[in-house]
Amino acid sequence: MVTLKDIAKEAGVSVMTVSRVVNKRYSEVSDENIAKIQSIIEKLGYVPNSSARSLSSKSSKIISIILQGSGNVLESPYNAAMLGYIIQLVQEYGYNAMVHFINEYSDVTKHLQSWHAEGALFLGTFDKNIQQIQADNKIPLVFTDSYSSIRQLINIGIDDYKGGVLAARHFIENGHRDFAFITPHTSVSQLIKQRLKGYKDTIEAAGLRLEPEHILEPLHMEETVTELCSFKKPVSAIFVAADNSAIELMGILKRRGYRIPEDFSIIGFDNLPISQFVSPRLTTISQDIKQKAQFALEVLFQHLKNPSLPTQNIVLDVELIKRESVLDKRNSVNS
């Protein structure tokens, strides 16, 4: 591997002079030596050592992206899409993305400090540890989808409550009166609680009811479908708080001989690309994942340039995407 010492020897100059040219501190080097050193660098194919340059400049150019869980969190299409957009944007800013999967809070600071990260973006639910994370790391930190009560927090989220409202309203407007809500993590995830709250509040405001036993938290979707189909009071409208779970539900129901939307109408959440390619195409609540990633990185780099900026809580809008997975019972022969 070519070193600064090799280039200095061939150019007949000091290693310090070569270092100045490599780091573009041209004011301290003659034009003749700049041209000579650059020519030798090109000839020998020298590639600067990024970690060494980071130490010398006191800038790592590293943005840490921290996800809660192990690598299997990328099995979620939402997480995979969000991470893909973020990595691309980090590179466009001229920085390097360092991805960490965290199971224990204690690992967060260890990773941030060992890699000298200049800023960090958190994907997942870190609400119970946010205060300690901020106390231990004095760099710009951006969280996504946080419902923490801490005021001094940079957060990029979406209007989860409105998503639940839109789902319930669409079912009600199409003549549905018997509802269910399906999603894992209802009891621990604040964003899921908000989606459920918007859904339930809207149903109750219409003089209807979401039965407590119709709120399902599946460990295995097959078992959930068995439970769903055994309700004493059948449901016709199911809001599933993630598209991938909604699509899994649809597949199991169809394998068991049920028709969608005739027997069960379903609304998902996220508007993942796959939602428009299943049959029937999935009605869903759309969040703009790319826009969320753009906002998160824009705010992070604003705070990198000016750490004294005030904290921000940005809530992005959602919208209902109507497709074919909801039956209009008002015009149905079977209603």
Side-chain angles (χ1 to χ4, degrees):
M1 187 173 73
V2 180
T3 66
L4 294 182
K5 189 174 180 180
D6 297 328
I7 298 168
K9 183 177 179 180
E10 183 159 340
V13 299
S14 68
V15 172
M16 181 60 71
T17 299
V18 175
S19 176
R20 286 167 177 160
V21 173
V22 169
N23 290 291
K24 304 185 186 301
R25 298 202 298 270
Y26 300 134
S27 62
E28 304 172 59
V29 186
S30 69
D31 291 343
E32 179 183 354
N33 279 337
I34 291 172
K36 185 195 300 184
I37 291 167
Q38 288 177 334
S39 176
I40 294 170
I41 286 172
E42 185 174 347
K43 181 179 75 172
L44 298 181
Y46 171 73
V47 178
N49 184 306
S50 296
S51 60
R53 291 183 67 184
S54 295
L55 290 172
S56 65
S57 65
K58 297 183 180 179
S59 172
S60 68
K61 305 292 275 188
I62 289 175
I63 298 299
S64 185
I65 305 164
I66 297 181
L67 297 96
Q68 194 167 52
S70 58
N72 61 12
V73 300
L74 294 184
E75 293 176 5
S76 159
Y78 166 80
N79 286 336
M82 187 72 169
L83 183 61
Y85 288 131
I86 288 169
I87 291 174
Q88 179 183 343
L89 290 164
V90 168
Q91 292 175 342
E92 288 177 4
Y93 276 99
Y95 279 66
N96 300 303
M98 184 72 70
V99 180
H100 303 293
F101 299 100
I102 300 295
N103 286 309
E104 300 293 335
Y105 152 72
S106 57
D107 292 333
V108 173
T109 298
K110 179 178 71 176
H111 284 295
L112 291 179
Q113 295 183 359
S114 64
W115 287 100
H116 304 286
E118 293 191 43
L121 197 154
F122 293 77
L123 302 183
T125 305
F126 291 85
D127 287 355
K128 67 179 182 179
N129 297 126
I130 283 176
Q131 194 163 12
Q132 193 61 50
I133 292 171
Q134 290 184 316
D136 292 345
N137 299 280
K138 302 304 181 183
I139 57 175
L141 306 173
V142 173
F143 295 85
T144 58
D145 300 314
S146 172
Y147 280 91
S148 171
S149 59
I150 297 171
R151 296 183 63 185
Q152 299 302 313
L153 176 71
I154 305 173
N155 178 61
I156 313 295
I158 61 170
D159 195 340
D160 294 292
Y161 182 89
K162 180 179 177 181
V165 170
L166 293 175
R169 187 178 296 162
H170 187 57
F171 281 141
I172 293 166
E173 289 173 350
N174 281 278
H176 293 268
R177 297 294 180 266
D178 300 293
F179 311 92
F181 180 84
I182 297 178
T183 184
H185 314 310
T186 305
S187 59
V188 296
S189 171
Q190 289 298 322
L191 70 88
I192 296 299
K193 285 184 177 181
Q194 286 298 308
R195 293 173 191 179
L196 172 57
K197 189 174 189 307
Y199 186 58
K200 186 178 179 182
D201 286 353
T202 305
I203 290 169
E204 291 178 351
L208 303 168
R209 179 172 168 81
L210 173 63
E211 302 294 340
E213 60 268 26
H214 293 177
I215 300 171
L216 304 174
E217 300 182 44
L219 290 176
H220 303 286
M221 191 62 79
E222 288 279 0
E223 295 173 2
T224 298
V225 170
T226 299
E227 185 176 0
L228 179 72
C229 297
S230 64
F231 287 151
K232 291 181 180 179
K233 183 180 181 182
V235 301
S236 67
I238 308 169
F239 178 33
V240 187
D243 282 350
N244 56 326
S245 295
I247 291 166
E248 181 185 7
L249 173 66
M250 288 168 62
I252 295 171
L253 285 169
K254 287 195 289 185
R255 286 198 301 272
R256 296 194 184 189
Y258 293 99
R259 301 167 301 160
I260 299 167
E262 292 84 0
D263 297 319
F264 294 101
S265 289
I266 298 172
I267 296 177
F269 200 111
D270 286 328
N271 193 29
L272 297 173
I274 192 174
S275 64
Q276 59 185 313
F277 298 115
V278 293
S279 179
R281 297 190 308 154
L282 180 65
T283 295
T284 184
I285 306 301
S286 175
Q287 63 165 313
D288 192 329
I289 298 174
K290 185 175 183 179
Q291 183 190 45
K292 184 190 282 187
Q294 288 172 333
F295 269 97
L297 267 298
E298 182 178 317
V299 170
L300 179 61
F301 280 97
Q302 286 174 353
H303 283 260
L304 273 173
K305 291 179 181 178
N306 184 0
S308 64
L309 287 175
T311 55
Q312 295 172 264
N313 183 37
I314 297 174
V315 179
L316 303 175
D317 200 11
V318 297
E319 64 176 320
L320 175 73
I321 304 298
K322 298 179 184 179
R323 297 195 180 105
E324 293 96 29
S325 64
V326 174
L327 176 69
D328 185 347
K329 296 188 72 173
R330 299 166 302 177
N331 300 320
S332 172
V333 175
N334 297 321
S335 61

